[in-house]
Amino acid sequence: MSSTGQQGTRPVAIGSLPVGTGPAVVLRGASAAATPSAAPERSASRPASGAVAGQDGPAREPDGKHADGVWLRPPAGRAAAELTRVRAWWDGPLLAEPATPDDLPALAAHADALVLGPAWAGDPALVTVAGALALPVVLARGAAALEDWLRAAGAFAAAGAPGVVLCEDGALRASSGPSGVAGPDLGLARAARTRSGLPVLVAPGDDPHLAAATVAAGADGLWLAPEAGPDDLTAAREAVTLVGALIREEAPGSVDDARQAIDRVDAALAVLLERRARLAGTVQRLKPVGGFAGRDMERERRLVAAMARRAPLLGEHRLAPIMNAVIEAGLHLAEETRRDTRDNGGKPASHGAEKASHQGGHRSRTAMEALAAPAPDHD
Ligand SMILES: O=C(O)C(=O)C[C@]1(C(=O)O)C=C[C@@H](O)C=C1
């Protein structure tokens, strides 16, 4: 394990994927092919497992990336065939849920982790058999109470499972509550993580924007349904990157891991810098004298001092030149935009930021954009 992990959490390796240390992970369900008797191969009907049949691989994000890991719930008696089929296009971390104990040998041969629900946890004989496979166990909560969930996790560890990851999957399995909207219990997931020291995955359900809240609540990973599309994957990845950069402690142990952690922080910085530039542009428009001519050095000194209270390592004297560059970039952008607007007969002209996003063509809405929709009337 290349880093020390989240405080108090015991990381678990699922194949090559560390869970509970480093960034939160994104796992996505793989489609299970329909059984020949239920529907022809490649049909779009829904098999008993609830997965969409007929897809050959996991959805990709627009940039071509897959999820970090794939999970599968093959129909009874089809585990070997389904796992072999998925292994043909996916050699990364693979998690599988057995429909019956007869599926266990196939899982032991092909999967990196067992996904087990409350029914297994309630049967001591099954716990013993599953623990003896020496695969990590992802223990779905289903509708279990916190105490029962944690007790079951302890039972799998005692039976020999080399690691246990909890999965709050209430959104996938439980029927919707009084609100009519099914969703994960983030408070319960957080309590389970604190109490047990085990990594916790959370299924954010049908609303991709819950991914950000899920990471903010401290989840070590997102558990996406097989139906999750590229935009859902992108929203999940954005939440992991941006929200994780703000709240998730990392202690990387290699240059590569440290650079990846820096990339996530830079991604969050970029979103915030863009947002700040828009707001600073609004101030230039509203002030009696905007732009460089209306510069207010006392206000700049005070904002640097306030920032230094949150960034004591950097301190005022290091933050001051950074913020000077940030503020001047914003003023240049505001003046450029004002000139463009004037040249455009008073109509708002596309400035740099807009041009860039237009050039990129269609861009899906990110988690951070959804959290903090930018003001539409920027300068
Ligand atoms: O607060 C203002 O008056 C601004 O114009 C905004 C801003 C900034 O970017 O934060 C920019 C220039 C000023 O010198 C001070 C602050």
Side-chain angles (χ1 to χ4, degrees), residues 276 280 283-284 287 294-297 299-300 303 327 331:
R276 190 188 195 289
V283 178
Q284 305 322 309
K287 275 194 338 189
R295 210 157 169 185
D296 179 345
M297 300 314 286
R299 162 74 180 149
E300 292 187 24
L303 71 82
I327 288 169
L331 293 175

Side-chain angles (χ1 to χ4, degrees), residues 267-289:
L269 272 178
V271 169
L272 293 175
L273 285 171
E274 180 88 347
R275 195 142 193 252
R276 190 188 195 289
R278 288 177 193 276
L279 291 168
T282 301
V283 178
Q284 305 322 309
R285 195 163 42 80
L286 297 175
K287 275 194 338 189
V289 180

Side-chain angles (χ1 to χ4, degrees), residues 172-203:
L172 287 185
R173 290 164 198 250
S175 58
S176 54
S179 66
V181 180
D185 188 332
L186 296 182
L188 190 137
R190 204 174 157 74
R193 190 170 180 277
T194 308
R195 288 264 307 273
S196 68
L198 299 175
V200 177
L201 305 171
V202 173

